Amino acid sequence: MTDSSRLRVGVIGYGYWGPNVVRNFYNGPGTTVGSVCDLSAGALERVQRNYPSIGVTQNPDDLITDPDIDVIAIVTPISGHFPLAKRALENGKHVFVEKPFTGSSSDAERLIELAERKRLQIMVDHTFLFTGAVRKIDELIHNDELGRLYYYDSTRINLGMFQHDANVVWDLATHDLAIIDHLLPGEPEAIVATGEGHVNGVEDMAFVTIYFADNVIAHLNVNWLSPVKIRMTLIGGERRMLVWDDLQADEKVKVYDKGIDTSRASDLRVNYRAGDMWAPRIEPVEALQLETQYFADCITNGKPAVNDGYAGLRVVRMLEAIDASISQKGRMVYCRPAMSASASRE
Amino acid sequence: MTDSSRLRVGVIGYGYWGPNVVRNFYNGPGTTVGSVCDLSAGALERVQRNYPSIGVTQNPDDLITDPDIDVIAIVTPISGHFPLAKRALENGKHVFVEKPFTGSSSDAERLIELAERKRLQIMVDHTFLFTGAVRKIDELIHNDELGRLYYYDSTRINLGMFQHDANVVWDLATHDLAIIDHLLPGEPEAIVATGEGHVNGVEDMAFVTIYFADNVIAHLNVNWLSPVKIRMTLIGGERRMLVWDDLQADEKVKVYDKGIDTSRASDLRVNYRAGDMWAPRIEPVEALQLETQYFADCITNGKPAVNDGYAGLRVVRMLEAIDASISQKGRMVYCRPAMSASASRE
Amino acid sequence: MTDSSRLRVGVIGYGYWGPNVVRNFYNGPGTTVGSVCDLSAGALERVQRNYPSIGVTQNPDDLITDPDIDVIAIVTPISGHFPLAKRALENGKHVFVEKPFTGSSSDAERLIELAERKRLQIMVDHTFLFTGAVRKIDELIHNDELGRLYYYDSTRINLGMFQHDANVVWDLATHDLAIIDHLLPGEPEAIVATGEGHVNGVEDMAFVTIYFADNVIAHLNVNWLSPVKIRMTLIGGERRMLVWDDLQADEKVKVYDKGIDTSRASDLRVNYRAGDMWAPRIEPVEALQLETQYFADCITNGKPAVNDGYAGLRVVRMLEAIDASISQKGRMVYCRPAMSASASRE
Amino acid sequence: MTDSSRLRVGVIGYGYWGPNVVRNFYNGPGTTVGSVCDLSAGALERVQRNYPSIGVTQNPDDLITDPDIDVIAIVTPISGHFPLAKRALENGKHVFVEKPFTGSSSDAERLIELAERKRLQIMVDHTFLFTGAVRKIDELIHNDELGRLYYYDSTRINLGMFQHDANVVWDLATHDLAIIDHLLPGEPEAIVATGEGHVNGVEDMAFVTIYFADNVIAHLNVNWLSPVKIRMTLIGGERRMLVWDDLQADEKVKVYDKGIDTSRASDLRVNYRAGDMWAPRIEPVEALQLETQYFADCITNGKPAVNDGYAGLRVVRMLEAIDASISQKGRMVYCRPAMSASASRE
């Protein structure tokens, strides 16, 4: 592939996650990085030391209006997502934006409309969808290995990075919401969430229940005040159940041939099945590498991404519903159906 | 101690837990077992083989009206607790009753009134209060090692024993409610609970949030459909945090000198503290042995137990509030203050 | 089965392990316990309280000469094994004896000869052979799931019970030697062992290498001075490898479809294979129950046990070789071939 | 510090570990990297992309004879260590060399003599000495927290990288030997080692016992054919014992206030002590960063390093003794005392 055929990406934000985004777009076969923008001179110095061929600037407009740039990647705090994405789309750039997509669903809707009008693509960086573990779980579910789904139950806790413009839900639960949006059939019907803030007013722990059709239920436990780090998700199905422990180096996903025997549930006697456990090999790939090249592929071939603006919008709507429920101490909030068709599974 | 000075216990129910109750009352220095009642002839045969000196019967009235029996221990399904305890109290017997105390708070209140009128004692078998782990945590909290409490968060899941007369909340959450009632200061203010049943109509998983004063929050995750068994509780405080993993053979309780530095939280910058971890030695005692002898001591010295009828009532009220909240999809249910003074900490 | 058709067992020794032996012989369909002997009056009192129908005595000869006793079970310290077993065999009793069989191989040989002459059976209590885990591993090896065997490597350490008449090798390594004798093909060729004693002169830690034909090697790490308890065995084969962690409640045996690709090893480039992991369900049976009933079956049907006197002798010979090697700081000790044919696999 | 005052390092070898050595010397306050040599053009391209200011060459002599280079870092396979270090020292360069120091002790001795004659420094990259875990253990031992030492027992196994010019001992045991050399008092007296090769002739697993004075014993279990990765070391002392699990993200070192009570060991009754466990906070530093700056400091201030040529020689002598013992199936090999005084503790 000649250089001219690669998509040129301008990256805004070179803080914690930005270097990974730059590295992957820089090394990808279908992409390269044209310039990087950050307000911090120190950050730009690090860019120059590591990538002497990449231009640097403190002014995002330099990238957004650069005719040699095809894609703007926005790796800033949430408050920057909407204005930067809007200007990028207006200037004819495709947009890769950190999760969560925007600070409000109306902002997300405006960006989706703008992108469609300009025939541009939006990808929201729901990185977890591209991990070996989630791709394996997706495969198991869609091969019906688990049978009818019962529940998704995630614990995502650690001593956390308190943030200025987000509570623990927008920080941690976003991951699970993107995964749930991707894995579970149907859309959420209603949300009940509780939480508490102990330090500076924003919630540092929250507990979220999401009701789906057919008695499927999801639950999230997110916490910035845990002394230990846990990343564990259980997914229960009628046929099999699995445990995904993302902190394990190996054996991240364990599938249990175990459950209840519902064949004779009518007589109120429930029987148990115990069988083997099986840990499928998980492909050791870097999720962000897969994702950035998938974006190049989506743009080049004009096909929508599974993690497009609609996916981003659906996640933001769930975040808003969670905030609304927490502020009313667990009042059930109904979820609006998503705006329109999208690449997500139904 | 001569035999005549030991309290004679009649045990009703010799199923899963009954043999432990019989063994501990039988071997205790302050108690012995006079007779055992069970409907199953096989169960009674097992009693006779193991304890030839203990009388057996299929009729609970034989024990309840036996003038040589001082205490009736009720180790039956919940539906039997109220009628058997009522008759036992009416016949002048002290009562040791399985958790949860009763199937309704009004039944619990009636038993408490009856016991007070008859000057008899009730002990509800909140066994966990007598484990080395809970006693150590109690000591840590009351020595102010954790500082101001932030939260209690428990996960109690396994492939469960579906029951006829109880959902997963009455089966599993009862343990946590008894522990919370014992450890946390103040009474619960409101409860939000969600859940779902997938098999035979009763909830097989539930998620419970309990609000206390001063931003203290408790959360329980109970599940009969988990492929793995987890018994893990996190307790967060301003000064230290702890993790209690009850399935560990050693190091059940780990205390982390770790948290956030709130001294300068006013300027919105939150700092982290990382320090040593410490696993205090846990005394390897059998909780039920301690509990049964404590009951003998309470009766002999006329002092109320921490796990008396009032504690049982408080737990049943929380169970009722959880059921009410689940059936209304997470509607917040306010908790009534407990009936009257009791031995629990305030 | 009528009572008269059950083998009557006399058990000598009611200390730590004796109660388990009594319970299993007592409850077994093919056996019952006639009397129990122990020097301690307190132990005999415990027998009487739990089994009023069983006779008790402080004199082993009462059992050994009792015409109603068919089998003598010897659950004493090692020094008692030979004299008690000898007298039992002389009196026409079958013998069930704790591991290790005897304190010396010559004693073991004399007992085997005596038993053969009297047409009586000896079973050495190599309990681990009857666990679900070892039976599953045996099945995997004999179904050639692991391929050609490379090694057996066991770590068996804890803060130990110092004993008067045995070092850590005779206490802990005996388990592994019995398992190795059962699982590995062929007989050991040579042993190299090192060790050290830190407290009272006897070895409290030891490291044992056992050479087999065809480059198969076994290694044992036994230690009474470890702050943590570990019971972990790795078995490596050309096709698959397994890890047996006996302290896991579930998933005791994990089989890894992982190894090196030797197909092109000739060119000095070794490639790796990584595949799934698989934890077969382990039957939750009590090993000692299976073993005691197997003994009844062997006696009734006149067939030799896999854990007969020859197996016990082979283990004692390895123990002697280990002691000899340790005392000469790791000098290699060749193993003599076993005395004669036996039920063990070759 | 001005650029001119920084030591200029020439790095030979940019394969697996080389990039870490370059990065740390490059970023260090007291060092920078002048040029990098590697035979592979692809490796040199990666250097240029990441560090445009660093010169590259395929000829090591370009670095070794460069008057602007102060230090040669040798990050090649073992066979290159001696000839490259020799030429570097002859050309007046200090030498930083990968572990193990050399392929033979005579080579190591020649390099030490040469360096002393030229008044140059050698540092052998015993990286583990600079990890937070080993530095904490060192501190615990030297503060006498463990009391009189009993043993060091390490398991270092994984599905390994078969190498052309080394067996598993030279690959994996080198780490433990360097740590033992650093932590344990006194020098090893004798070594007994066994091992086996299953694939291409070189040992892929080995078991090493090292005898020290005063009944102190060390044991290493290294294995390239393990399906699981384990990095666990136990260190037992009379007062306390510790477990170092290097694969734990947190709580790498656990100290147990647990052991035996030897106060009355004379009467053959050994008692146990059980107490708290304590996991000291481990400083999260990059070991290689600390080490490279320590080397700059040693050179600048003319003080010998703890991991100087003598330390490297002592480790190579142990490696030779292990090989000799393995090839004679565990024959004990006495260790020669080290050549002369050095910075290691005695």
Side-chain angles (χ1 to χ4, degrees):
Chain A
M1 181 180 275
T2 69
D3 224 50
S4 63
S5 76
R6 294 161 108 187
L7 291 166
R8 291 180 66 80
V9 182
V11 179
I12 305 175
Y14 199 76
Y16 170 71
W17 188 241
N20 296 318
V21 172
V22 168
R23 176 171 47 79
N24 279 290
F25 275 126
Y26 183 78
N27 290 323
T31 55
T32 190
V33 173
S35 16
V36 171
C37 168
D38 199 287
L39 295 177
S40 146
L44 297 182
E45 211 175 295
R46 281 193 297 279
V47 175
Q48 285 184 300
R49 204 162 50 213
N50 290 328
Y51 306 94
S53 69
I54 296 181
V56 298
T57 175
Q58 289 180 300
N59 181 359
D61 264 10
D62 292 348
L63 278 68
I64 289 172
T65 60
D66 182 342
D68 284 347
I69 293 287
D70 306 299
V71 176
I72 296 292
I74 302 166
V75 200
T76 67
I78 303 173
S79 56
H81 292 189
F82 174 73
L84 291 167
K86 180 162 170 288
R87 270 192 62 63
L89 291 166
E90 286 168 351
N91 281 272
K93 313 299 189 199
H94 301 286
V95 166
F96 179 90
V97 60
E98 264 325 288
K99 63 91 204 165
F101 185 17
T102 53
S104 77
S105 55
S106 58
D107 282 354
E109 287 164 3
R110 286 171 65 192
L111 293 177
I112 290 170
E113 278 172 54
L114 182 54
E116 296 199 335
R117 196 145 31 87
K118 302 281 245 169
R119 299 186 186 282
L120 293 166
Q121 296 229 17
I122 295 169
M123 174 169 281
V124 183
D125 183 13
H126 293 165
T127 324
F128 263 108
L129 306 192
F130 298 87
T131 57
V134 171
R135 290 189 305 133
K136 176 58 74 179
I137 295 170
D138 196 18
E139 181 191 318
L140 291 167
I141 290 176
H142 288 89
N143 292 347
D144 205 27
E145 296 274 356
L146 306 187
R148 187 161 66 85
L149 289 187
Y150 286 154
Y151 67 87
Y152 175 103
D153 183 15
S154 168
T155 302
R156 190 177 294 276
I157 67 180
N158 52 267
L159 198 59
M161 305 215 279
F162 276 80
Q163 299 178 354
H164 291 237
D165 64 346
N167 62 14
V168 70
V169 173
W170 288 70
D171 177 33
L172 293 182
T174 303
H175 292 300
D176 287 301
L177 297 174
I179 295 166
I180 286 171
D181 175 67
H182 187 63
L183 292 181
L184 297 194
E187 303 216 352
E189 298 186 339
I191 286 178
V192 169
T194 57
E196 197 64 79
H198 299 88
V199 182
N200 63 357
V202 304
E203 286 80 13
D204 45 44
M205 50 199 309
F207 311 105
V208 179
T209 297
I210 312 178
Y211 294 99
F212 288 80
D214 300 321
N215 291 35
V216 176
I217 192 166
H219 182 258
L220 320 179
N221 179 336
V222 289
N223 186 346
W224 275 340
L225 284 180
S226 167
V228 288
K229 184 173 183 177
I230 299 180
R231 295 285 183 271
M232 184 177 282
T233 302
L234 285 79
I235 302 181
E238 189 173 5
R239 191 172 304 153
R240 288 199 194 82
M241 299 176 175
L242 69 80
V243 177
W244 164 30
D245 182 347
D246 206 49
L247 301 187
Q248 294 292 318
D250 302 304
E251 307 165 28
K252 280 184 193 296
V253 176
K254 292 181 176 177
V255 185
Y256 293 83
D257 185 14
K258 196 165 162 178
I260 53 169
D261 182 350
T262 54
S263 58
R264 291 173 301 168
S266 57
D267 64 347
L268 280 181
R269 293 288 300 173
V270 178
N271 295 292
Y272 302 90
R273 284 185 304 101
D276 295 355
M277 183 270 276
W278 167 65
R281 178 165 185 267
I282 302 295
E283 204 68 41
V285 290
E286 183 177 1
L288 189 54
Q289 182 188 340
L290 223 64
E291 186 184 16
T292 49
Q293 294 319 300
Y294 171 62
F295 192 31
D297 187 45
C298 288
I299 291 171
T300 306
N301 297 301
K303 64 176 191 200
V306 293
N307 54 328
D308 63 359
Y310 288 102
L313 169 62
R314 291 191 300 269
V315 168
V316 170
R317 278 187 177 152
M318 287 192 268
L319 290 168
E320 289 177 332
I322 292 168
D323 275 357
S325 183
I326 289 178
S327 69
Q328 295 165 87
K329 295 214 159 192
R331 196 176 67 76
M332 191 173 71
V333 175
Y334 287 96
C335 299
R336 280 187 301 160
M339 193 165 115
S340 102
S342 90
S344 105
R345 291 193 188 78
E346 333 249 337
Chain B
M1 180 180 277
T2 68
D3 224 51
S4 63
S5 74
R6 295 162 108 188
L7 291 165
R8 292 179 65 82
V9 183
V11 180
I12 304 176
Y14 199 76
Y16 170 71
W17 189 241
N20 296 317
V21 172
V22 169
R23 175 171 47 82
N24 278 289
F25 275 124
Y26 183 79
N27 290 324
T31 55
T32 190
V33 173
S35 16
V36 171
C37 168
D38 199 287
L39 295 176
S40 145
L44 296 184
E45 212 176 295
R46 281 194 297 280
V47 174
Q48 283 183 301
R49 205 163 48 213
N50 290 327
Y51 306 95
S53 68
I54 297 181
V56 298
T57 174
Q58 289 180 300
N59 180 1
D61 263 11
D62 290 348
L63 279 67
I64 290 173
T65 61
D66 181 341
D68 284 346
I69 294 287
D70 306 298
V71 177
I72 296 292
I74 301 166
V75 200
T76 67
I78 303 173
S79 57
H81 293 189
F82 174 72
L84 291 168
K86 180 162 170 288
R87 272 194 58 67
L89 292 166
E90 286 167 351
N91 281 272
K93 313 301 187 198
H94 302 286
V95 167
F96 179 90
V97 60
E98 264 325 286
K99 64 92 203 161
F101 184 17
T102 52
S104 77
S105 55
S106 58
D107 281 354
E109 287 164 2
R110 287 169 66 191
L111 292 177
I112 291 171
E113 277 172 56
L114 181 56
E116 295 199 335
R117 196 145 29 87
K118 301 280 246 171
R119 299 186 186 282
L120 293 165
Q121 297 230 15
I122 295 170
M123 173 169 282
V124 183
D125 183 13
H126 293 166
T127 325
F128 263 108
L129 307 191
F130 298 87
T131 58
V134 171
R135 289 188 305 133
K136 176 59 72 177
I137 295 169
D138 195 19
E139 181 190 318
L140 291 167
I141 290 176
H142 288 90
N143 291 347
D144 205 27
E145 296 275 355
L146 306 187
R148 186 163 65 85
L149 288 187
Y150 286 154
Y151 67 87
Y152 175 104
D153 182 16
S154 167
T155 302
R156 190 177 294 275
I157 67 181
N158 53 266
L159 197 60
M161 304 215 280
F162 277 79
Q163 299 179 353
H164 291 237
D165 65 345
N167 60 14
V168 70
V169 172
W170 288 71
D171 177 33
L172 293 181
T174 303
H175 293 300
D176 288 299
L177 297 174
I179 295 165
I180 286 170
D181 175 68
H182 187 64
L183 292 180
L184 297 193
E187 303 216 353
E189 298 185 339
I191 286 178
V192 170
T194 57
E196 196 65 78
H198 299 87
V199 182
N200 62 357
V202 305
E203 286 79 15
D204 45 43
M205 48 199 311
F207 311 105
V208 179
T209 297
I210 312 178
Y211 294 98
F212 288 81
D214 301 320
N215 292 33
V216 176
I217 192 166
H219 182 259
L220 319 180
N221 179 336
V222 288
N223 186 346
W224 274 339
L225 284 180
S226 167
V228 288
K229 183 172 183 177
I230 299 181
R231 296 284 183 270
M232 184 177 282
T233 303
L234 285 80
I235 302 181
E238 187 171 8
R239 192 173 303 154
R240 288 198 194 82
M241 298 177 178
L242 70 81
V243 178
W244 165 30
D245 182 348
D246 206 49
L247 300 187
Q248 294 292 318
D250 302 304
E251 306 164 30
K252 279 183 193 297
V253 177
K254 293 181 174 177
V255 185
Y256 292 83
D257 186 14
K258 195 164 163 180
I260 53 171
D261 181 351
T262 53
S263 58
R264 290 173 301 166
S266 56
D267 65 347
L268 281 181
R269 294 287 299 170
V270 177
N271 296 291
Y272 302 90
R273 285 184 303 101
D276 294 355
M277 181 271 277
W278 167 66
R281 178 164 186 269
I282 302 294
E283 204 69 40
V285 289
E286 183 177 1
L288 188 56
Q289 182 187 340
L290 222 64
E291 186 184 17
T292 50
Q293 294 318 301
Y294 170 62
F295 192 32
D297 188 45
C298 287
I299 291 171
T300 306
N301 298 301
K303 63 177 191 198
V306 293
N307 53 330
D308 63 359
Y310 288 102
L313 169 62
R314 291 191 300 269
V315 168
V316 170
R317 279 187 175 153
M318 288 192 268
L319 289 168
E320 288 176 334
I322 291 168
D323 275 355
S325 184
I326 289 177
S327 68
Q328 296 166 85
K329 294 214 158 193
R331 196 174 67 77
M332 190 172 71
V333 175
Y334 287 96
C335 299
R336 281 187 301 161
M339 194 164 112
S340 101
S342 89
S344 105
R345 292 192 187 77
E346 318 237 359
Chain C
M1 181 179 278
T2 69
D3 222 51
S4 62
S5 75
R6 295 162 107 186
L7 291 165
R8 292 180 65 82
V9 182
V11 180
I12 304 176
Y14 199 77
Y16 170 70
W17 188 241
N20 296 317
V21 173
V22 169
R23 176 171 47 80
N24 278 289
F25 276 125
Y26 184 79
N27 290 323
T31 54
T32 190
V33 173
S35 17
V36 171
C37 167
D38 199 287
L39 295 178
S40 145
L44 297 183
E45 211 176 296
R46 281 194 297 279
V47 174
Q48 285 184 299
R49 204 162 50 214
N50 290 327
Y51 306 94
S53 69
I54 296 181
V56 298
T57 174
Q58 288 180 300
N59 181 359
D61 263 9
D62 291 347
L63 279 66
I64 289 172
T65 61
D66 182 342
D68 284 346
I69 294 286
D70 307 298
V71 177
I72 296 292
I74 301 166
V75 200
T76 67
I78 303 173
S79 57
H81 293 189
F82 174 73
L84 291 168
K86 179 162 171 288
R87 271 191 62 62
L89 292 166
E90 287 167 349
N91 282 272
K93 313 299 187 197
H94 302 286
V95 166
F96 179 91
V97 59
E98 263 326 286
K99 62 91 201 165
F101 184 17
T102 52
S104 77
S105 54
S106 58
D107 282 354
E109 286 164 4
R110 287 170 66 191
L111 293 178
I112 291 171
E113 278 171 55
L114 181 56
E116 295 199 336
R117 195 145 30 87
K118 303 280 247 171
R119 301 188 185 280
L120 293 165
Q121 297 229 17
I122 295 170
M123 173 168 281
V124 183
D125 184 13
H126 293 165
T127 325
F128 263 108
L129 307 191
F130 298 87
T131 58
V134 172
R135 290 189 304 134
K136 175 58 73 178
I137 294 170
D138 195 18
E139 180 191 319
L140 291 166
I141 290 177
H142 288 88
N143 291 347
D144 204 28
E145 295 274 356
L146 306 186
R148 187 162 66 86
L149 287 188
Y150 287 154
Y151 68 88
Y152 175 103
D153 182 15
S154 167
T155 302
R156 189 178 295 276
I157 66 180
N158 52 266
L159 197 60
M161 305 214 281
F162 277 81
Q163 298 178 353
H164 292 237
D165 64 346
N167 62 13
V168 71
V169 172
W170 288 70
D171 178 31
L172 294 182
T174 302
H175 293 300
D176 288 300
L177 298 174
I179 295 165
I180 285 171
D181 175 68
H182 187 64
L183 292 180
L184 297 194
E187 302 217 353
E189 299 185 340
I191 286 180
V192 169
T194 56
E196 197 64 79
H198 299 88
V199 182
N200 62 358
V202 304
E203 287 79 14
D204 45 44
M205 49 198 312
F207 311 104
V208 180
T209 297
I210 312 177
Y211 294 99
F212 288 81
D214 300 321
N215 291 35
V216 175
I217 192 166
H219 181 257
L220 319 180
N221 179 335
V222 289
N223 186 345
W224 275 340
L225 284 180
S226 166
V228 288
K229 183 173 183 177
I230 299 181
R231 295 285 182 271
M232 183 177 284
T233 303
L234 285 79
I235 302 181
E238 187 172 6
R239 192 172 302 153
R240 288 197 192 82
M241 297 176 177
L242 69 80
V243 178
W244 164 31
D245 182 347
D246 205 51
L247 301 187
Q248 294 292 318
D250 303 303
E251 306 165 29
K252 280 183 193 295
V253 176
K254 293 182 175 176
V255 185
Y256 292 84
D257 185 15
K258 198 165 162 177
I260 53 169
D261 182 351
T262 53
S263 57
R264 291 173 300 168
S266 57
D267 64 346
L268 281 181
R269 294 285 301 170
V270 178
N271 296 292
Y272 302 90
R273 286 184 302 101
D276 294 356
M277 182 271 275
W278 168 64
R281 178 165 185 267
I282 302 295
E283 204 69 39
V285 289
E286 184 177 1
L288 189 55
Q289 182 187 339
L290 224 63
E291 185 184 18
T292 50
Q293 294 319 300
Y294 170 63
F295 192 31
D297 187 45
C298 288
I299 291 171
T300 307
N301 298 300
K303 61 177 193 198
V306 294
N307 53 329
D308 62 0
Y310 288 102
L313 169 62
R314 291 190 301 269
V315 168
V316 171
R317 279 187 176 152
M318 288 192 268
L319 290 167
E320 288 177 333
I322 292 168
D323 275 356
S325 183
I326 289 178
S327 68
Q328 296 167 86
K329 294 214 160 193
R331 195 174 67 77
M332 192 172 70
V333 175
Y334 287 96
C335 298
R336 281 188 300 160
M339 194 164 113
S340 102
S342 90
S344 105
R345 290 193 189 78
E346 337 249 335
Chain D
M1 181 179 277
T2 69
D3 224 50
S4 61
S5 74
R6 294 161 109 186
L7 292 165
R8 292 179 66 80
V9 183
V11 179
I12 304 176
Y14 199 76
Y16 170 72
W17 189 242
N20 296 318
V21 173
V22 169
R23 176 170 48 79
N24 278 289
F25 275 126
Y26 184 79
N27 291 324
T31 55
T32 190
V33 173
S35 17
V36 171
C37 167
D38 199 287
L39 295 176
S40 145
L44 297 183
E45 212 176 294
R46 281 194 297 279
V47 174
Q48 284 183 301
R49 204 161 53 212
N50 290 328
Y51 306 94
S53 68
I54 296 181
V56 298
T57 174
Q58 288 180 299
N59 180 359
D61 262 12
D62 291 349
L63 278 67
I64 289 172
T65 60
D66 182 341
D68 284 347
I69 293 288
D70 307 299
V71 176
I72 296 292
I74 301 165
V75 200
T76 66
I78 302 173
S79 57
H81 293 190
F82 175 71
L84 291 168
K86 180 164 170 286
R87 271 193 61 65
L89 291 166
E90 286 168 350
N91 281 270
K93 313 301 188 198
H94 301 286
V95 167
F96 179 90
V97 61
E98 264 325 287
K99 63 94 202 162
F101 184 17
T102 52
S104 76
S105 55
S106 59
D107 282 353
E109 287 164 3
R110 286 171 66 192
L111 293 177
I112 291 171
E113 279 171 55
L114 182 56
E116 295 199 336
R117 195 147 29 88
K118 302 281 243 171
R119 299 186 186 283
L120 293 166
Q121 296 230 15
I122 295 170
M123 173 169 282
V124 184
D125 183 13
H126 293 166
T127 325
F128 262 107
L129 307 191
F130 298 87
T131 57
V134 172
R135 290 189 304 134
K136 176 58 72 177
I137 294 170
D138 195 18
E139 181 191 318
L140 291 167
I141 289 176
H142 288 89
N143 291 347
D144 205 27
E145 295 274 356
L146 306 187
R148 187 161 67 86
L149 288 187
Y150 287 154
Y151 68 88
Y152 175 102
D153 182 15
S154 168
T155 303
R156 189 176 295 274
I157 66 180
N158 53 266
L159 197 59
M161 305 215 279
F162 277 80
Q163 297 177 356
H164 292 237
D165 65 346
N167 61 13
V168 70
V169 172
W170 287 71
D171 177 34
L172 294 181
T174 303
H175 293 300
D176 288 299
L177 297 174
I179 295 166
I180 285 171
D181 175 69
H182 187 64
L183 292 180
L184 297 194
E187 302 215 353
E189 301 186 338
I191 285 180
V192 170
T194 57
E196 197 63 78
H198 298 87
V199 182
N200 61 359
V202 304
E203 286 80 15
D204 44 44
M205 47 200 310
F207 312 105
V208 180
T209 296
I210 312 177
Y211 293 99
F212 288 81
D214 301 321
N215 293 34
V216 176
I217 192 167
H219 182 258
L220 319 180
N221 179 335
V222 289
N223 186 345
W224 275 340
L225 283 181
S226 166
V228 289
K229 184 173 184 177
I230 298 181
R231 295 285 183 270
M232 183 176 284
T233 303
L234 284 80
I235 301 181
E238 187 171 8
R239 192 173 302 151
R240 288 198 193 83
M241 298 176 176
L242 69 80
V243 178
W244 164 30
D245 183 348
D246 205 51
L247 301 186
Q248 294 292 317
D250 302 304
E251 307 165 28
K252 279 184 194 296
V253 177
K254 293 182 175 177
V255 185
Y256 292 83
D257 186 14
K258 195 165 162 178
I260 54 169
D261 183 350
T262 54
S263 58
R264 290 173 300 167
S266 57
D267 64 348
L268 281 181
R269 294 288 300 170
V270 178
N271 295 291
Y272 302 91
R273 287 184 301 100
D276 294 355
M277 183 270 278
W278 167 65
R281 180 167 183 266
I282 303 295
E283 205 68 41
V285 290
E286 183 178 1
L288 189 55
Q289 182 187 341
L290 223 64
E291 186 184 17
T292 50
Q293 294 318 301
Y294 171 63
F295 192 32
D297 188 45
C298 287
I299 291 170
T300 307
N301 298 300
K303 63 176 192 201
V306 293
N307 52 330
D308 62 0
Y310 289 102
L313 169 62
R314 291 191 300 270
V315 168
V316 171
R317 279 187 176 153
M318 287 191 269
L319 290 168
E320 289 176 333
I322 292 168
D323 275 357
S325 184
I326 290 177
S327 68
Q328 295 166 86
K329 294 217 159 190
R331 197 175 66 78
M332 191 173 70
V333 175
Y334 286 95
C335 300
R336 282 187 300 161
M339 191 165 114
S340 100
S342 89
S344 106
R345 291 191 190 79
E346 337 252 330

